[in-house]
Amino acid sequence: MKFSPSRLWAIVVKEFVQMRRDRLTLGMMAGIPVLQLLLFGYAINANPKHLPTAVLMADNGPQGRTLLYALENSSYFDFVRRVKTEPEGRRLLARGDVQFVVNIPENFTRDFLRGDRPAILVEADATDPVATVNALAALNAAVNGALKNDLKGPLAFLSGTAPPVELQIHALYNPEDITAYNIVPGLMGTILTMTMIAITGLAITRERESGTMENLLSMPTRPLEVMIGKIVPYILVGYMQMALILLTARLLFRVPMAGSIALLMAVTFVFIVANLAMGITFSTLATTQRQAMQMSMFFFLPNILLSGFMFPFRGMPVWAQDIGEFLPLTHFLRIIRGILLKGNGFTDVVRELWQIALFAIVAIALSVKSFRRTLD
Amino acid sequence: MPDGLAIDVHGMTKRFDGLTAVNRVDLQVRTGDICGFLGPNGSGKTTFIRMLCGLLRPDGGSGTCLGHDVMTGSEAIKGLVGYMTQRFSFWDDLTIHENLDFVARMYSIGNRRRVVRESIERLGLEGQGNKLAGELSGGWKQRLALAACMIHDPKLLLLDEPTAGVDPKARREFWEEIHRLAEQGLTFLIATHYMDEAERCHRLAFILNGKLLSQGTVAEVIEQAHLTTWSVSGPDLTGLAGKLRVRPGVEQAVAFGNTLHISGDDADALLGAIAPFRAAPYEWRGIDSSLEDVFIHFMGGRAGRQMEGPRMDGPSS
């Protein structure tokens, strides 16, 4: 048989006709590039500024104020909290409320005027090295530049070779700035999201496509039984994946595990259920397995880009952060990084946890509601 | 059952996007009867059956199925009815045993293990329970499906074209089984296109374009059609058929081996139509109309001679 252009054309035409019939695929072909362009173009920023910073001012002298003013002017630091004690600052860092705590010690003004080169302590939440590296680089310049103006007249003797203050930076939780410490725990959440949604996305559509749904519906069963019955096996799968990743994280990447693994496992349950429920919802909404896969893809994209997995959450514009706050992955990443790297306990993670739980409840309600009890 | 009726429904109606798939159908089936449900493809058989077992919500109608209200009692009805879908709808990637066991669990059967074992024995598949359902041939799949939809001991079986794609021997065995079960008091509603199968039913219901046209025993249905049929033998029957078909009063001219069957519902007009040909070399004989003649008559008579367009039978068929 010779290569026949007319046969080739027949196949091309058939593909186009089928493509036109599948509206969802067509929509995705336009939707995915647009979504990617918007997210990558507008939402992602590897040089986050205006990072929330707490300040501990044990000295109220003018030089300290000048310093803080200079930091704020560098546009990397936004002073959002004032704390009274060091533990209070630590706690804000652990919870992720602030990225930095700037500590102006007692007698700062006196030591400065004496030329004793007083220390300024800056504690940074370095779980995500990308988020802090530029800010810390700007720190030195800002501090030295700020005090230049003060070193006039009687204080001119201080503008010698050594800087007038000593800058001490404590990169907490990940002092060596190892990116893997941030990425590997993040991957746990990302992998769970991807597999859980993809697997259950197919759960109902597969029955529908193979015709077994008609059979299942003709038996006396309730939608909730079908939903939960389809979710439970994959909860176990999720835990097996979790164990696998944790083991790899420990053995290959030496990721620190400062907090309680039992707590992590317990929290993961809510996260897995949230994703499975989302997948089941896609499965009830889609009519074919392919549509379910496409919906999962569409959901997965913002999860990767807006959750703080790949790019610093605080680098994103407010609208992107708002979207990110809806995603269970965003909260799970904070929890898992908090537990593994910062050693956070239940009280630190609970306020992220209830947001995942809320998502799970809404997703379950949605899936039960959209589950069609009949073939109508 | 009240009045001994397993199915007693009136005015059953179902519309899909403005298209009326089932239009005010009344149907009564006595307990222990095998009711054949006849009609061409897309006439609404599957839709009607799905409404009976709660898979589709009727847009109108009333009545009872096994004593439960068809509009509100579908949960109760589901537990008492066995529904065999047109297409094999058990799980190809489960074994015979796993399929039966799953169904038994869904119906909360008490002595599940024994029931499943007995079901496999009755199927004659001892020792083969570990075979995947997807590996079975058409005939065995159909037997498995029947066994599975009977595992909860239903009172009414709704079978949607159960013998499509099944060889004649398996079909005969299947029907023998149906009759055996009917004698034990089970009621059947069986959708089919096969005339030989229709003749094995106690009663028939004929549906076309969503409307019930005729209901009764085989003889009654044939009687109701008021059809006259002649058989003719002789040379060039194909040519003769062509000449007869265009004459008024002739509805059908169909070849049956070496004879041609000519039918029409107006006996006098038919007589007039064949009169010019009632001479040698043709030999004419008045015969009883067959069920197939009646079937074609119903289809042709109501819908005109032109081809019927395809109709929806339901969203997922």
Side-chain angles (χ1 to χ4, degrees):
Chain A
M1 249 191 327
K2 280 204 309 191
F3 184 87
S4 151
S6 66
R7 274 200 297 265
L8 166 71
W9 183 241
I11 292 170
V12 170
V13 169
K14 169 185 150 293
E15 289 302 316
F16 268 118
V17 169
Q18 289 178 314
M19 199 192 296
R20 206 184 59 207
R21 299 265 149 80
D22 189 352
R23 290 289 156 82
L24 191 76
T25 304
L26 220 55
M28 291 288 172
M29 281 180 205
I32 297 223
V34 169
L35 187 66
Q36 295 225 19
L37 279 169
L38 289 179
L39 295 188
F40 274 105
Y42 291 113
I44 281 152
N45 173 16
N47 183 15
K49 296 188 172 177
H50 302 287
L51 298 166
T53 307
V55 62
L56 173 63
M57 271 186 105
D59 182 297
N60 267 324
Q63 276 77 19
R65 285 168 202 279
T66 312
L67 261 177
L68 293 184
Y69 188 67
L71 289 186
E72 199 140 38
N73 257 356
S74 76
S75 78
Y76 281 101
F77 305 90
D78 276 2
F79 293 106
V80 294
R81 295 286 272 273
R82 186 178 266 259
V83 293
K84 296 210 162 54
T85 62
E86 278 191 42
E88 200 185 338
R90 278 288 172 99
R91 184 156 171 75
L92 290 177
L93 281 172
R95 290 180 144 204
D97 287 341
V98 296
Q99 193 86 31
F100 303 99
V101 175
V102 176
N103 185 345
I104 306 220
E106 261 177 79
N107 306 326
F108 176 79
T109 314
R110 193 195 68 195
D111 293 352
F112 179 78
L113 296 176
R114 275 190 192 163
D116 281 352
R117 300 189 64 233
I120 297 179
L121 179 66
V122 176
E123 289 181 313
D125 172 357
T127 42
D128 184 0
V130 179
T132 49
V133 64
N134 285 319
L136 292 177
L139 198 56
N140 235 321
V143 167
N144 290 329
L147 297 172
K148 278 259 158 61
N149 291 335
D150 284 15
L151 304 178
K152 283 175 184 153
L155 293 176
F157 73 97
L158 283 174
S159 59
T161 41
V165 294
E166 189 192 345
L167 198 57
Q168 288 181 0
I169 296 171
H170 282 184
L172 295 175
Y173 315 123
N174 185 2
E176 292 155 83
D177 283 354
I178 298 174
T179 315
Y181 287 4
N182 188 53
I183 290 290
V184 173
L187 263 178
M188 281 185 223
T190 309
I191 290 172
L192 279 177
T193 301
M194 186 163 62
T195 51
M196 294 297 105
I197 287 189
I199 292 172
T200 47
L202 301 179
I204 305 272
T205 38
R206 193 175 60 193
E207 303 263 10
R208 198 169 285 134
E209 262 183 89
S210 67
T212 50
M213 198 63 192
E214 187 179 359
N215 202 339
L216 200 60
L217 288 177
S218 75
M219 299 180 204
T221 175
R222 305 192 66 81
L224 206 60
E225 293 166 355
V226 178
M227 298 292 167
I228 297 177
K230 286 197 170 274
I231 283 181
V232 167
Y234 298 111
I235 294 181
L236 285 179
V237 172
Y239 269 115
M240 275 165 54
Q241 287 187 329
M242 187 74 182
L244 209 65
I245 304 168
L246 270 178
L247 220 62
T248 317
R250 183 88 204 118
L251 299 179
L252 293 184
F253 296 100
R254 311 258 166 225
V255 172
M257 293 186 185
S260 151
I261 298 297
L263 174 66
L264 180 60
M265 285 296 186
V267 169
T268 303
F269 180 81
V270 184
F271 179 65
I272 290 177
V273 168
N275 281 309
L276 291 176
M278 193 68 227
I280 289 268
T281 304
F282 289 150
S283 203
T284 53
L285 294 176
T287 47
T288 62
Q289 298 190 50
R290 194 159 79 157
Q291 286 187 353
M293 285 312 285
Q294 285 166 336
M295 288 186 186
S296 313
M297 263 299 295
F298 212 72
F299 180 69
F300 190 54
L301 207 59
N303 262 292
I304 290 245
L305 299 178
L306 302 184
S307 63
F309 165 66
M310 277 177 117
F311 308 98
F313 191 80
R314 293 206 171 101
M316 302 191 302
V318 176
W319 62 267
Q321 294 195 13
D322 286 345
I323 297 174
E325 292 286 351
F326 274 107
L327 304 172
L329 182 59
T330 305
H331 302 285
F332 185 71
L333 291 183
R334 292 178 191 157
I335 291 176
I336 191 172
R337 286 168 177 163
I339 292 177
L340 289 184
L341 304 180
K342 303 177 177 176
N344 282 355
F346 183 72
T347 46
D348 299 313
V349 304
V350 70
R351 90 192 144 142
E352 306 288 346
L353 186 61
W354 77 260
Q355 304 205 47
I356 302 177
L358 190 69
F359 185 95
I361 290 166
V362 170
I364 289 174
L366 209 64
S367 64
V368 171
K369 199 166 166 51
S370 55
F371 182 84
R372 277 156 283 180
R373 221 186 252 254
T374 62
L375 296 170
D376 284 272
Chain B
M1 264 350 96
D3 321 325
L5 289 176
I7 301 173
D8 183 15
V9 293
H10 302 274
M12 297 296 280
T13 301
K14 181 70 193 178
R15 282 180 285 269
F16 295 114
D17 303 322
L19 209 88
T20 309
V22 173
N23 194 354
R24 292 197 290 268
V25 169
D26 302 339
L27 187 72
Q28 284 76 41
V29 180
R30 279 197 308 258
T31 304
D33 262 5
I34 301 173
C35 179
F37 202 26
L38 302 184
N41 292 326
S43 55
K45 300 190 299 287
T46 301
T47 304
F48 181 79
I49 289 176
R50 284 176 174 170
M51 281 195 287
L52 274 187
C53 61
L55 279 173
L56 288 174
R57 247 183 289 273
D59 292 318
S62 63
T64 58
C65 182
L66 299 168
H68 296 280
D69 192 295
V70 283
M71 302 299 279
T72 58
S74 67
E75 294 306 312
I77 293 171
K78 278 182 185 179
L80 298 170
V81 166
Y83 170 47
M84 185 167 156
T85 52
Q86 196 167 351
R87 199 172 131 200
F88 180 73
S89 63
F90 287 88
W91 288 266
D92 278 342
D93 47 359
L94 294 187
T95 65
I96 295 169
H97 183 273
E98 287 160 348
N99 267 301
L100 292 171
D101 195 60
F102 173 71
V103 178
R105 279 179 198 264
M106 290 300 279
Y107 285 100
S108 324
I109 290 171
N111 41 359
R112 201 181 77 244
R113 279 166 212 281
R114 208 190 71 218
V115 169
V116 170
R117 197 180 57 237
E118 283 173 1
S119 176
I120 290 178
E121 280 166 12
R122 227 175 305 124
L123 271 171
L125 285 173
E126 295 103 320
Q128 292 197 66
N130 289 327
K131 213 168 174 180
L132 289 179
E135 292 171 356
L136 295 172
S137 68
W140 278 108
K141 273 188 177 168
Q142 170 246 21
R143 293 183 66 174
L144 169 63
L146 182 67
C149 69
M150 284 188 47
I151 209 150
H152 60 293
D153 200 15
K155 303 287 171 270
L156 169 67
L157 277 171
L158 304 170
L159 311 181
D160 194 359
E161 294 180 25
T163 56
V166 172
D167 69 52
K169 184 168 172 289
R171 256 172 70 190
R172 172 164 293 185
E173 285 166 5
F174 179 77
W175 275 90
E176 279 166 12
E177 174 80 5
I178 301 282
H179 272 274
R180 231 185 346 266
L181 293 165
E183 274 163 31
Q184 292 166 20
L186 244 87
T187 311
F188 287 87
L189 180 63
I190 306 179
T192 180
H193 304 293
Y194 298 119
M195 292 307 127
D196 60 321
E197 292 190 347
E199 283 167 354
R200 287 162 173 261
C201 297
H202 297 126
R203 292 177 71 79
L204 298 175
F206 190 96
I207 186 173
L208 179 76
N209 292 343
K211 284 194 152 165
L212 193 73
L213 295 187
S214 179
Q215 197 178 166
T217 62
V218 176
E220 282 166 4
V221 167
I222 293 176
E223 169 76 35
Q224 282 166 26
H226 299 297
L227 208 61
T228 311
T229 303
W230 290 83
S231 164
V232 56
S233 59
D236 188 22
L237 291 176
T238 316
L240 179 65
K243 285 179 211 152
L244 282 169
R245 268 186 203 124
V246 296
R247 294 188 68 88
V250 176
E251 259 183 36
Q252 304 170 37
V254 189
F256 276 88
N258 294 324
T259 64
L260 199 62
H261 289 191
I262 319 292
S263 341
D265 59 358
D266 183 336
D268 294 336
L270 186 64
L271 208 59
I274 64 171
F277 304 96
R278 290 192 70 178
Y282 299 116
E283 238 179 83
W284 291 84
R285 199 158 51 86
I287 56 167
D288 291 336
S289 300
S290 71
L291 194 58
E292 182 167 306
D293 297 330
V294 171
F295 189 98
I296 305 287
H297 163 72
F298 277 138
M299 279 179 71
R302 305 287 164 143
R305 292 289 170 85
Q306 74 271 45
M307 273 287 289
E308 267 289 277
R311 290 171 52 86
M312 281 230 311
D313 218 5
S316 65
S317 66

